[in-house]
Amino acid sequence: MNKDELRRCMIARRNSLNNKDIEKKSQTIISNLSKLSVYKYSKFIFVYVSFRSEVITKGFIMNAIKDGKRIAVPITLAEKKIIQPCEIRSLNELAPGTWGILEPKKGNYKVVDSSQIDLAIVPGLAFDYSFNRLGYGAGYYDRFLPSMNSLAIKIGICYDFQLIDSLPAEKYDIPMDVIITEKRLLFRDPNKISLRK
Ligand SMILES: Nc1ncnc2c1ncn2[C@@H]1O[C@H](COP(=O)(O)OP(=O)(O)OP(=O)(O)O)[C@@H](O)[C@H]1O
Ligand SMILES: [Mg+2]
């Protein structure tokens, strides 16, 4: 399957989940994520705000704020095809923005320097065992992720059916360090993780 066929296939499979499935699987994925030492040691987390049938991240954001983490979420600049990290202190600062995705309200949002981020929680339509990621197809994350510090940890979260043996990847596709599903936890380079404080 090429990238577009795989995207269509995964969107269809994800949309066939009912709300209960989505909530239950998301809770397990977020619980797996929150137990990791990379989460515990992190200070400034970039995390997408879930939309439609994506793995739900709202509870994670609330808990991370309670845990004293700084949180940045993406704001989409569609005309430039980029996302920028904006710091928030509460989910109340979000309102529907580009494509109806919740993002910091226009006007008083605070873009932060990506180099401050030490952990990024990345959405994807599919991931593979080589830690490749397939997104929605505009390259937003492939452009954003390299702007972070090279020691920052990139974690892809997805439903287990989205983790497949192999997917088509090009030179510009940025791989993940960790992939988490409701059933599996994959680490690319345990040294990168364990050497961090
Ligand atoms: N670093 C980059 N700089 C400029 N263009 C890029 C970069 N990375 C990717 N692109 C462009 O973005 C387009 C889409 O990339 P790709 O198909 O990998 O999207 P994706 O990873 O599925 O999407 P997304 O990252 O938005 O979730 C590609 O045609 C590519 O030319
Ligand atoms: Mg890509």
PDB file of all heavy atoms in Angstrom, residues 105-135:
ATOM      1  N   LYS A 105      -6.626  30.118  21.828  1.00  0.00           N
ATOM      2  CA  LYS A 105      -7.443  31.154  21.187  1.00  0.00           C
ATOM      3  C   LYS A 105      -6.571  32.208  20.538  1.00  0.00           C
ATOM      4  O   LYS A 105      -5.564  32.627  21.110  1.00  0.00           O
ATOM      5  CB  LYS A 105      -8.355  31.819  22.230  1.00  0.00           C
ATOM      6  CG  LYS A 105      -9.471  30.902  22.683  1.00  0.00           C
ATOM      7  CD  LYS A 105     -10.260  31.504  23.848  1.00  0.00           C
ATOM      8  CE  LYS A 105     -10.990  30.389  24.566  1.00  0.00           C
ATOM      9  NZ  LYS A 105     -11.381  30.680  25.923  1.00  0.00           N
ATOM     10  N   LYS A 106      -6.984  32.626  19.345  1.00  0.00           N
ATOM     11  CA  LYS A 106      -6.234  33.647  18.603  1.00  0.00           C
ATOM     12  C   LYS A 106      -6.166  34.922  19.437  1.00  0.00           C
ATOM     13  O   LYS A 106      -7.051  35.232  20.205  1.00  0.00           O
ATOM     14  CB  LYS A 106      -6.940  33.947  17.269  1.00  0.00           C
ATOM     15  CG  LYS A 106      -6.888  32.782  16.301  1.00  0.00           C
ATOM     16  CD  LYS A 106      -5.927  33.019  15.147  1.00  0.00           C
ATOM     17  CE  LYS A 106      -5.288  31.747  14.639  1.00  0.00           C
ATOM     18  NZ  LYS A 106      -6.182  30.714  14.170  1.00  0.00           N
ATOM     19  N   GLY A 107      -5.071  35.660  19.269  1.00  0.00           N
ATOM     20  CA  GLY A 107      -4.979  36.946  19.951  1.00  0.00           C
ATOM     21  C   GLY A 107      -3.957  36.932  21.062  1.00  0.00           C
ATOM     22  O   GLY A 107      -2.969  37.636  20.997  1.00  0.00           O
ATOM     23  N   ASN A 108      -4.197  36.069  22.070  1.00  0.00           N
ATOM     24  CA  ASN A 108      -3.282  36.138  23.209  1.00  0.00           C
ATOM     25  C   ASN A 108      -2.506  34.842  23.429  1.00  0.00           C
ATOM     26  O   ASN A 108      -2.187  34.483  24.543  1.00  0.00           O
ATOM     27  CB  ASN A 108      -4.051  36.506  24.486  1.00  0.00           C
ATOM     28  CG  ASN A 108      -5.104  35.472  24.802  1.00  0.00           C
ATOM     29  OD1 ASN A 108      -5.424  34.648  23.941  1.00  0.00           O
ATOM     30  ND2 ASN A 108      -5.629  35.479  26.008  1.00  0.00           N
ATOM     31  N   TYR A 109      -2.242  34.121  22.338  1.00  0.00           N
ATOM     32  CA  TYR A 109      -1.500  32.881  22.567  1.00  0.00           C
ATOM     33  C   TYR A 109       0.009  33.141  22.600  1.00  0.00           C
ATOM     34  O   TYR A 109       0.504  34.116  22.053  1.00  0.00           O
ATOM     35  CB  TYR A 109      -1.881  31.796  21.566  1.00  0.00           C
ATOM     36  CG  TYR A 109      -1.589  32.085  20.116  1.00  0.00           C
ATOM     37  CD1 TYR A 109      -0.288  31.995  19.626  1.00  0.00           C
ATOM     38  CD2 TYR A 109      -2.610  32.406  19.233  1.00  0.00           C
ATOM     39  CE1 TYR A 109      -0.018  32.225  18.294  1.00  0.00           C
ATOM     40  CE2 TYR A 109      -2.340  32.651  17.894  1.00  0.00           C
ATOM     41  CZ  TYR A 109      -1.053  32.559  17.439  1.00  0.00           C
ATOM     42  OH  TYR A 109      -0.787  32.800  16.133  1.00  0.00           O
ATOM     43  N   LYS A 110       0.677  32.209  23.299  1.00  0.00           N
ATOM     44  CA  LYS A 110       2.110  32.412  23.542  1.00  0.00           C
ATOM     45  C   LYS A 110       2.917  31.312  22.859  1.00  0.00           C
ATOM     46  O   LYS A 110       2.934  30.170  23.310  1.00  0.00           O
ATOM     47  CB  LYS A 110       2.323  32.367  25.067  1.00  0.00           C
ATOM     48  CG  LYS A 110       3.736  32.614  25.506  1.00  0.00           C
ATOM     49  CD  LYS A 110       3.840  32.575  27.042  1.00  0.00           C
ATOM     50  CE  LYS A 110       5.282  32.321  27.469  1.00  0.00           C
ATOM     51  NZ  LYS A 110       5.351  31.591  28.723  1.00  0.00           N
ATOM     52  N   VAL A 111       3.569  31.666  21.761  1.00  0.00           N
ATOM     53  CA  VAL A 111       4.421  30.698  21.060  1.00  0.00           C
ATOM     54  C   VAL A 111       5.707  30.553  21.862  1.00  0.00           C
ATOM     55  O   VAL A 111       6.281  31.544  22.303  1.00  0.00           O
ATOM     56  CB  VAL A 111       4.733  31.171  19.622  1.00  0.00           C
ATOM     57  CG1 VAL A 111       5.685  30.214  18.920  1.00  0.00           C
ATOM     58  CG2 VAL A 111       3.448  31.311  18.816  1.00  0.00           C
ATOM     59  N   VAL A 112       6.144  29.312  22.072  1.00  0.00           N
ATOM     60  CA  VAL A 112       7.381  29.091  22.824  1.00  0.00           C
ATOM     61  C   VAL A 112       8.470  28.578  21.888  1.00  0.00           C
ATOM     62  O   VAL A 112       8.199  28.112  20.783  1.00  0.00           O
ATOM     63  CB  VAL A 112       7.170  28.115  24.009  1.00  0.00           C
ATOM     64  CG1 VAL A 112       6.239  28.708  25.042  1.00  0.00           C
ATOM     65  CG2 VAL A 112       6.662  26.759  23.533  1.00  0.00           C
ATOM     66  N   ASP A 113       9.683  28.662  22.381  1.00  0.00           N
ATOM     67  CA  ASP A 113      10.824  28.183  21.619  1.00  0.00           C
ATOM     68  C   ASP A 113      10.847  26.650  21.684  1.00  0.00           C
ATOM     69  O   ASP A 113      10.883  26.085  22.774  1.00  0.00           O
ATOM     70  CB  ASP A 113      12.072  28.784  22.297  1.00  0.00           C
ATOM     71  CG  ASP A 113      13.316  28.544  21.479  1.00  0.00           C
ATOM     72  OD1 ASP A 113      13.293  27.654  20.605  1.00  0.00           O
ATOM     73  OD2 ASP A 113      14.312  29.254  21.730  1.00  0.00           O
ATOM     74  N   SER A 114      10.818  25.989  20.514  1.00  0.00           N
ATOM     75  CA  SER A 114      10.747  24.517  20.508  1.00  0.00           C
ATOM     76  C   SER A 114      11.929  23.867  21.215  1.00  0.00           C
ATOM     77  O   SER A 114      11.834  22.724  21.651  1.00  0.00           O
ATOM     78  CB  SER A 114      10.736  23.944  19.097  1.00  0.00           C
ATOM     79  OG  SER A 114      10.252  24.832  18.182  1.00  0.00           O
ATOM     80  N   SER A 115      13.038  24.591  21.324  1.00  0.00           N
ATOM     81  CA  SER A 115      14.217  23.978  21.940  1.00  0.00           C
ATOM     82  C   SER A 115      14.016  23.748  23.441  1.00  0.00           C
ATOM     83  O   SER A 115      14.778  23.029  24.061  1.00  0.00           O
ATOM     84  CB  SER A 115      15.449  24.847  21.705  1.00  0.00           C
ATOM     85  OG  SER A 115      15.269  26.074  22.366  1.00  0.00           O
ATOM     86  N   GLN A 116      12.966  24.345  24.018  1.00  0.00           N
ATOM     87  CA  GLN A 116      12.700  24.130  25.455  1.00  0.00           C
ATOM     88  C   GLN A 116      11.968  22.811  25.722  1.00  0.00           C
ATOM     89  O   GLN A 116      11.904  22.352  26.850  1.00  0.00           O
ATOM     90  CB  GLN A 116      11.786  25.245  25.983  1.00  0.00           C
ATOM     91  CG  GLN A 116      12.375  26.619  25.955  1.00  0.00           C
ATOM     92  CD  GLN A 116      11.432  27.583  26.656  1.00  0.00           C
ATOM     93  OE1 GLN A 116      11.353  27.634  27.875  1.00  0.00           O
ATOM     94  NE2 GLN A 116      10.685  28.327  25.871  1.00  0.00           N
ATOM     95  N   ILE A 117      11.388  22.244  24.664  1.00  0.00           N
ATOM     96  CA  ILE A 117      10.566  21.047  24.829  1.00  0.00           C
ATOM     97  C   ILE A 117      11.450  19.826  25.018  1.00  0.00           C
ATOM     98  O   ILE A 117      12.440  19.646  24.301  1.00  0.00           O
ATOM     99  CB  ILE A 117       9.651  20.893  23.592  1.00  0.00           C
ATOM    100  CG1 ILE A 117       8.638  22.037  23.591  1.00  0.00           C
ATOM    101  CG2 ILE A 117       8.960  19.535  23.566  1.00  0.00           C
ATOM    102  CD1 ILE A 117       8.016  22.289  22.254  1.00  0.00           C
ATOM    103  N   ASP A 118      11.129  18.990  26.019  1.00  0.00           N
ATOM    104  CA  ASP A 118      11.946  17.782  26.201  1.00  0.00           C
ATOM    105  C   ASP A 118      11.178  16.504  25.889  1.00  0.00           C
ATOM    106  O   ASP A 118      11.763  15.423  25.852  1.00  0.00           O
ATOM    107  CB  ASP A 118      12.607  17.735  27.592  1.00  0.00           C
ATOM    108  CG  ASP A 118      11.645  17.964  28.731  1.00  0.00           C
ATOM    109  OD1 ASP A 118      10.424  17.915  28.509  1.00  0.00           O
ATOM    110  OD2 ASP A 118      12.125  18.203  29.853  1.00  0.00           O
ATOM    111  N   LEU A 119       9.881  16.620  25.651  1.00  0.00           N
ATOM    112  CA  LEU A 119       9.082  15.434  25.308  1.00  0.00           C
ATOM    113  C   LEU A 119       7.962  15.859  24.364  1.00  0.00           C
ATOM    114  O   LEU A 119       7.281  16.858  24.627  1.00  0.00           O
ATOM    115  CB  LEU A 119       8.491  14.841  26.607  1.00  0.00           C
ATOM    116  CG  LEU A 119       7.526  13.666  26.471  1.00  0.00           C
ATOM    117  CD1 LEU A 119       8.212  12.471  25.822  1.00  0.00           C
ATOM    118  CD2 LEU A 119       6.996  13.254  27.844  1.00  0.00           C
ATOM    119  N   ALA A 120       7.794  15.117  23.271  1.00  0.00           N
ATOM    120  CA  ALA A 120       6.709  15.437  22.326  1.00  0.00           C
ATOM    121  C   ALA A 120       5.820  14.213  22.154  1.00  0.00           C
ATOM    122  O   ALA A 120       6.316  13.103  21.915  1.00  0.00           O
ATOM    123  CB  ALA A 120       7.279  15.850  20.978  1.00  0.00           C
ATOM    124  N   ILE A 121       4.515  14.423  22.298  1.00  0.00           N
ATOM    125  CA  ILE A 121       3.538  13.355  22.100  1.00  0.00           C
ATOM    126  C   ILE A 121       2.883  13.605  20.739  1.00  0.00           C
ATOM    127  O   ILE A 121       2.202  14.614  20.538  1.00  0.00           O
ATOM    128  CB  ILE A 121       2.458  13.362  23.219  1.00  0.00           C
ATOM    129  CG1 ILE A 121       3.112  13.402  24.613  1.00  0.00           C
ATOM    130  CG2 ILE A 121       1.522  12.174  23.070  1.00  0.00           C
ATOM    131  CD1 ILE A 121       4.038  12.251  24.910  1.00  0.00           C
ATOM    132  N   VAL A 122       3.143  12.673  19.834  1.00  0.00           N
ATOM    133  CA  VAL A 122       2.863  12.899  18.415  1.00  0.00           C
ATOM    134  C   VAL A 122       1.728  11.980  17.937  1.00  0.00           C
ATOM    135  O   VAL A 122       1.736  10.785  18.240  1.00  0.00           O
ATOM    136  CB  VAL A 122       4.162  12.611  17.614  1.00  0.00           C
ATOM    137  CG1 VAL A 122       3.958  12.842  16.132  1.00  0.00           C
ATOM    138  CG2 VAL A 122       5.321  13.450  18.141  1.00  0.00           C
ATOM    139  N   PRO A 123       0.780  12.531  17.191  1.00  0.00           N
ATOM    140  CA  PRO A 123      -0.288  11.685  16.646  1.00  0.00           C
ATOM    141  C   PRO A 123       0.185  11.020  15.356  1.00  0.00           C
ATOM    142  O   PRO A 123       1.178  11.446  14.761  1.00  0.00           O
ATOM    143  CB  PRO A 123      -1.388  12.693  16.336  1.00  0.00           C
ATOM    144  CG  PRO A 123      -0.638  13.928  15.920  1.00  0.00           C
ATOM    145  CD  PRO A 123       0.635  13.937  16.742  1.00  0.00           C
ATOM    146  N   GLY A 124      -0.528  10.013  14.906  1.00  0.00           N
ATOM    147  CA  GLY A 124      -0.167   9.409  13.633  1.00  0.00           C
ATOM    148  C   GLY A 124      -1.277   8.505  13.149  1.00  0.00           C
ATOM    149  O   GLY A 124      -2.085   8.022  13.946  1.00  0.00           O
ATOM    150  N   LEU A 125      -1.338   8.315  11.832  1.00  0.00           N
ATOM    151  CA  LEU A 125      -2.326   7.371  11.291  1.00  0.00           C
ATOM    152  C   LEU A 125      -1.765   5.964  11.319  1.00  0.00           C
ATOM    153  O   LEU A 125      -2.520   4.990  11.403  1.00  0.00           O
ATOM    154  CB  LEU A 125      -2.711   7.766   9.864  1.00  0.00           C
ATOM    155  CG  LEU A 125      -3.595   9.002   9.791  1.00  0.00           C
ATOM    156  CD1 LEU A 125      -3.800   9.436   8.364  1.00  0.00           C
ATOM    157  CD2 LEU A 125      -4.948   8.717  10.457  1.00  0.00           C
ATOM    158  N   ALA A 126      -0.433   5.837  11.239  1.00  0.00           N
ATOM    159  CA  ALA A 126       0.207   4.524  11.367  1.00  0.00           C
ATOM    160  C   ALA A 126       1.648   4.718  11.798  1.00  0.00           C
ATOM    161  O   ALA A 126       2.247   5.781  11.569  1.00  0.00           O
ATOM    162  CB  ALA A 126       0.157   3.771  10.039  1.00  0.00           C
ATOM    163  N   PHE A 127       2.183   3.693  12.466  1.00  0.00           N
ATOM    164  CA  PHE A 127       3.597   3.658  12.845  1.00  0.00           C
ATOM    165  C   PHE A 127       4.078   2.258  12.495  1.00  0.00           C
ATOM    166  O   PHE A 127       3.267   1.336  12.393  1.00  0.00           O
ATOM    167  CB  PHE A 127       3.754   3.895  14.357  1.00  0.00           C
ATOM    168  CG  PHE A 127       3.335   5.270  14.815  1.00  0.00           C
ATOM    169  CD1 PHE A 127       2.023   5.510  15.234  1.00  0.00           C
ATOM    170  CD2 PHE A 127       4.237   6.328  14.822  1.00  0.00           C
ATOM    171  CE1 PHE A 127       1.619   6.776  15.652  1.00  0.00           C
ATOM    172  CE2 PHE A 127       3.835   7.596  15.241  1.00  0.00           C
ATOM    173  CZ  PHE A 127       2.535   7.825  15.660  1.00  0.00           C
ATOM    174  N   ASP A 128       5.405   2.112  12.310  1.00  0.00           N
ATOM    175  CA  ASP A 128       5.896   0.753  12.059  1.00  0.00           C
ATOM    176  C   ASP A 128       7.028   0.383  13.012  1.00  0.00           C
ATOM    177  O   ASP A 128       7.460   1.212  13.828  1.00  0.00           O
ATOM    178  CB  ASP A 128       6.246   0.543  10.580  1.00  0.00           C
ATOM    179  CG  ASP A 128       7.547   1.218  10.155  1.00  0.00           C
ATOM    180  OD1 ASP A 128       8.311   1.692  11.035  1.00  0.00           O
ATOM    181  OD2 ASP A 128       7.800   1.267   8.939  1.00  0.00           O
ATOM    182  N   TYR A 129       7.501  -0.876  12.882  1.00  0.00           N
ATOM    183  CA  TYR A 129       8.515  -1.387  13.809  1.00  0.00           C
ATOM    184  C   TYR A 129       9.864  -0.699  13.656  1.00  0.00           C
ATOM    185  O   TYR A 129      10.737  -0.866  14.483  1.00  0.00           O
ATOM    186  CB  TYR A 129       8.681  -2.907  13.648  1.00  0.00           C
ATOM    187  CG  TYR A 129       7.462  -3.704  14.061  1.00  0.00           C
ATOM    188  CD1 TYR A 129       7.242  -4.983  13.546  1.00  0.00           C
ATOM    189  CD2 TYR A 129       6.544  -3.194  14.970  1.00  0.00           C
ATOM    190  CE1 TYR A 129       6.129  -5.721  13.917  1.00  0.00           C
ATOM    191  CE2 TYR A 129       5.428  -3.917  15.336  1.00  0.00           C
ATOM    192  CZ  TYR A 129       5.224  -5.176  14.813  1.00  0.00           C
ATOM    193  OH  TYR A 129       4.133  -5.893  15.184  1.00  0.00           O
ATOM    194  N   SER A 130      10.041   0.052  12.558  1.00  0.00           N
ATOM    195  CA  SER A 130      11.266   0.844  12.414  1.00  0.00           C
ATOM    196  C   SER A 130      11.046   2.257  12.939  1.00  0.00           C
ATOM    197  O   SER A 130      11.853   3.147  12.682  1.00  0.00           O
ATOM    198  CB  SER A 130      11.698   0.906  10.947  1.00  0.00           C
ATOM    199  OG  SER A 130      11.836  -0.388  10.434  1.00  0.00           O
ATOM    200  N   PHE A 131       9.938   2.478  13.635  1.00  0.00           N
ATOM    201  CA  PHE A 131       9.616   3.752  14.279  1.00  0.00           C
ATOM    202  C   PHE A 131       9.251   4.851  13.282  1.00  0.00           C
ATOM    203  O   PHE A 131       9.229   6.026  13.626  1.00  0.00           O
ATOM    204  CB  PHE A 131      10.745   4.185  15.244  1.00  0.00           C
ATOM    205  CG  PHE A 131      10.870   3.224  16.397  1.00  0.00           C
ATOM    206  CD1 PHE A 131      11.617   2.059  16.262  1.00  0.00           C
ATOM    207  CD2 PHE A 131      10.204   3.443  17.590  1.00  0.00           C
ATOM    208  CE1 PHE A 131      11.693   1.134  17.295  1.00  0.00           C
ATOM    209  CE2 PHE A 131      10.272   2.537  18.628  1.00  0.00           C
ATOM    210  CZ  PHE A 131      11.029   1.379  18.483  1.00  0.00           C
ATOM    211  N   ASN A 132       8.953   4.446  12.037  1.00  0.00           N
ATOM    212  CA  ASN A 132       8.456   5.419  11.069  1.00  0.00           C
ATOM    213  C   ASN A 132       7.032   5.819  11.429  1.00  0.00           C
ATOM    214  O   ASN A 132       6.307   5.048  12.056  1.00  0.00           O
ATOM    215  CB  ASN A 132       8.447   4.812   9.662  1.00  0.00           C
ATOM    216  CG  ASN A 132       9.839   4.571   9.151  1.00  0.00           C
ATOM    217  OD1 ASN A 132      10.687   5.449   9.242  1.00  0.00           O
ATOM    218  ND2 ASN A 132      10.073   3.367   8.637  1.00  0.00           N
ATOM    219  N   ARG A 133       6.678   7.006  10.976  1.00  0.00           N
ATOM    220  CA  ARG A 133       5.350   7.537  11.260  1.00  0.00           C
ATOM    221  C   ARG A 133       4.677   7.981   9.968  1.00  0.00           C
ATOM    222  O   ARG A 133       5.331   8.553   9.094  1.00  0.00           O
ATOM    223  CB  ARG A 133       5.500   8.740  12.195  1.00  0.00           C
ATOM    224  CG  ARG A 133       4.304   9.625  12.263  1.00  0.00           C
ATOM    225  CD  ARG A 133       4.526  10.847  13.130  1.00  0.00           C
ATOM    226  NE  ARG A 133       3.325  11.650  13.060  1.00  0.00           N
ATOM    227  CZ  ARG A 133       3.084  12.533  12.109  1.00  0.00           C
ATOM    228  NH1 ARG A 133       3.970  12.773  11.170  1.00  0.00           N
ATOM    229  NH2 ARG A 133       1.945  13.206  12.098  1.00  0.00           N
ATOM    230  N   LEU A 134       3.389   7.717   9.888  1.00  0.00           N
ATOM    231  CA  LEU A 134       2.578   8.228   8.781  1.00  0.00           C
ATOM    232  C   LEU A 134       1.576   9.219   9.369  1.00  0.00           C
ATOM    233  O   LEU A 134       0.783   8.862  10.240  1.00  0.00           O
ATOM    234  CB  LEU A 134       1.835   7.066   8.107  1.00  0.00           C
ATOM    235  CG  LEU A 134       0.942   7.437   6.933  1.00  0.00           C
ATOM    236  CD1 LEU A 134       1.780   7.767   5.702  1.00  0.00           C
ATOM    237  CD2 LEU A 134      -0.015   6.290   6.604  1.00  0.00           C
ATOM    238  N   GLY A 135       1.625  10.460   8.897  1.00  0.00           N
ATOM    239  CA  GLY A 135       0.687  11.480   9.384  1.00  0.00           C
ATOM    240  C   GLY A 135      -0.434  11.687   8.389  1.00  0.00           C
ATOM    241  O   GLY A 135      -0.688  10.829   7.533  1.00  0.00           O
TER     242      GLY A 135
END
